Amino acid sequence: MPVDNTGKTPAVPRRAPRRPMTEEEQKDIELKRLRGELSCAECRRLKLKCDKSVPCGSCVRRGCESICPCGILSAGQGTRFILADTDQLHAKIAEMSQRIRQLEEALAILQGVVSAERHPLLAADLLGIKFAAEAPKRTKLPDTEQEQAIDALGTLTLGDSGEVKYFGRSAGTETLLLRAEADDNSDDEDEDLLDALSPISPEIAEMGDVFPSGRPDDAKLQHVQSLLPSYARAVELSELYILHAALFFRPMKRDELLGPFLQSIYGPTENADTNPHALASLFFVLALASLLDLRLEPYNAEAEYFYGAGRAALGLRAVYNSPLVDTVRAIGLMSTYHTLAGKKYTRDSAWCLMSIAAKLAQSTGLHRDPARWHMDPKTVQSRRNLFWEVFACDLSHSLALGRPPSIHLSYVDCEYPEDQESTLGDLGEVRPGFWRSKYQFARDIWMAMAEATLAAKTPGYATVLELDRRVRELSVSDAKPYTTRADGEEAYFSSSESLRGCYASQYRTVTMIYLHRSFFAQAMLDFPANPLRSPFATSFLTAYRSASVVIKATAHQFDRCADMAVRVWFLLHQTFSAAVIVGTVVTLSPKASIAGGALLDLSLAVELFERTATRSHRGKLALSVLRRLKDRAVRAYSQHASLPQPTAGLDPADPRASNVTDGLALFGGQTRVLALKQKHKRGKSVPPRSPGTGSGRDSASPSPVIPGGMSPGTIYTTSVLSSPGASVIAGAAGGSGDLSWLDDIALNPYANVNTQMDMDMSTISPYALLCWNRRGSAGCRYCYFYC
């Protein structure tokens, strides 16, 4: 009989146990969720329909978008809607994260005092815990943040002959120098000396006067060609240009300059169809090389000779009607010469010329990627390189003067040129080279800064802090700007390496000063006794730290190659801005514990400009401003040290206080109208200088005296400089030329520096804290010294 199975459950085969997913499979699932190919983890846990957006709509409605798409909430009773409508919870999480940051910084400062090793609780994997559950930033800012904007329209200068110039909010340094030049009543021998510096004939000079219209003339072209130096000298100067001046504008790489370009100029005599603008480009290259030739004196006659010849060559062909790539090169090089040369040239003219070069670059299609037209690879790389050089330089001049740039990224699709200096890191990541870092910084940071800070509407403070975060996160070149003597005497005293290192080290610090200077000034004006209680305390702290690093970096360059340092106003301009910042801190806040360190930085900056003033008219103007500032700073600091109770700096009724605040308002880019008087030349006979005349060393110049009774190179640890950080520069007792103590600063730039004030930590941005990702003697792996 068959078996009776009535009422019995049929047998079910046992399911094999599920195999746990491997780590590779988990990573693959996470990647798919990030790409929107799978439902997010939280929707899968709750068995909800997921729209596969990042973050998905379900997580947004439930208030847990911060964990989407890979995170899940802990399972349990009441967790299905635990984050629905949880603004208060997000605020609490952000408050706790801020508190963690404050405790981390306090622990890092304490650890830095007792040991050079990183504290175990500050390990890299632990520092990221505070970011785990923070809510994303909202698109609409709270009203309190929107109101944290300042009046920073800029300065309008009016000349006695009707000249009008506009300097935007980021051009405070230029405005101070312009006012210093208008107030300078001293006999300026350099002015007459430069007027007598005319090594070219009047006929050649008149040829350049027709620029930019241009008048073709074969006879005059042959005359200009006869001004060329020998081929050997041209090659020598071209090499010097690549080593030094190409850092600031490099329209051609070395192989192109020394190869096809020079051959096209110094070709067979029967090749008489030389392009005048290519000839002008070569003359400007030679002029820049002569300007930075250490065997010649600064601002020498040979440089002016080549510049005059290049200007004449530009006048032999129209610029506007049918521009060439060589036209863009020539005008860009001409602008760079105006940036680096002497008193006859200004940053205004450099900005105008680079703007012309930018517009000509657009007219020749350099802003569109040449690979789309199937050009040969060499032409593609050459055009890409030229465009990004023009783009970066135009932005640099625009930020320095607070004026809009000429090229907007919405019209650009040109790719970067090939990065021949990229390296691989320890973890296999690609680290960009010097030139790629320069172009990325210009596109991603400077352009965003220009759009935000130079716009007609002053940006809110939250926008500034967001830009601050982007600056800190952007990767920079893996170069080592702060070489020490331990790396070898040849590398340490190399003129090209010192110049490149100083330039690379200022990417972040100078950008931070541009970004925070206006808010730093507002914090000092509103809360002079304690700027860290200002809503803009982050800007005060960031600007002060950046300024201190810039001054130390410049002193490091002076120690490595002073002859090169005094010639490059492009970098000294930033040092002057930094000196004004630290001097303002001492003058208005002498009771702050960082005032002693700030006064040391100011003294160091004054010493550097005293070494520069004998060579540079701009340096002389900057020194006059800094001497007055230091005189006030020493007086305020000494007065505070002699009183039993702390004071808040200069008395507001004191006229000196009014001068300081007026200058600070100009420096911060606040709305001002400045009337300037035109200076008239005095008639004096000055013997002309001949090309190639050498100059003496810095030791031959007389030792200047610093106002306030302090001698250069002397470090005071008495009542004048009584801060705990006064011992930082105690190794400078060897005099103004001995800067060996910078080796110690290169290893630990913040050693013994007391940055404590009566802080209101609730106003400090988390991004203003110190970075402790040290890596050997190079300092922070991201920004060298500055974090």
Side-chain angles (χ1 to χ4, degrees), residues 260 292 320 330 338 454 460 473 477 496 579 603 692 695 697 701 720 749 756:
L292 301 182
Y320 300 140
H338 282 225
L454 303 183
E473 290 181 351
S477 171
S496 60
S603 301
S695 62
R697 292 286 180 185
S701 60
V720 178
Q756 298 301 306

Side-chain angles (χ1 to χ4, degrees), residues 507-539:
Y507 272 123
R508 294 184 188 275
T509 51
V510 169
T511 302
M512 288 296 191
I513 290 176
Y514 277 137
L515 187 60
H516 291 282
R517 179 164 51 192
S518 297
F519 294 95
F520 162 85
Q522 192 67 45
M524 294 297 301
L525 292 171
D526 293 343
F527 296 86
N530 188 1
L532 287 178
R533 292 192 177 275
S534 166
F536 310 120
T538 297
S539 293

Side-chain angles (χ1 to χ4, degrees), residues 528-530 585-586 588-595 636-637 640 646-649 757:
N530 188 1
V585 171
V586 184
L588 297 183
S589 304
K591 74 173 184 178
S593 57
I594 64 172
Y637 194 88
H640 159 70
T647 60
M757 294 180 70

Side-chain angles (χ1 to χ4, degrees), residues 191 221 236 306 432 488 506 508 596 631 689 715 764:
E191 181 178 352
L221 176 60
E236 180 185 18
F306 288 133
Q506 292 193 7
R508 294 184 188 275
D631 191 21
R689 291 178 287 182
I715 302 304
I764 305 298

Side-chain angles (χ1 to χ4, degrees), residues 301-321:
E302 184 177 78
E304 279 292 298
Y305 173 83
F306 288 133
Y307 172 80
R311 189 166 174 268
L314 266 181
L316 294 177
R317 190 180 191 278
V319 169
Y320 300 140
N321 296 333

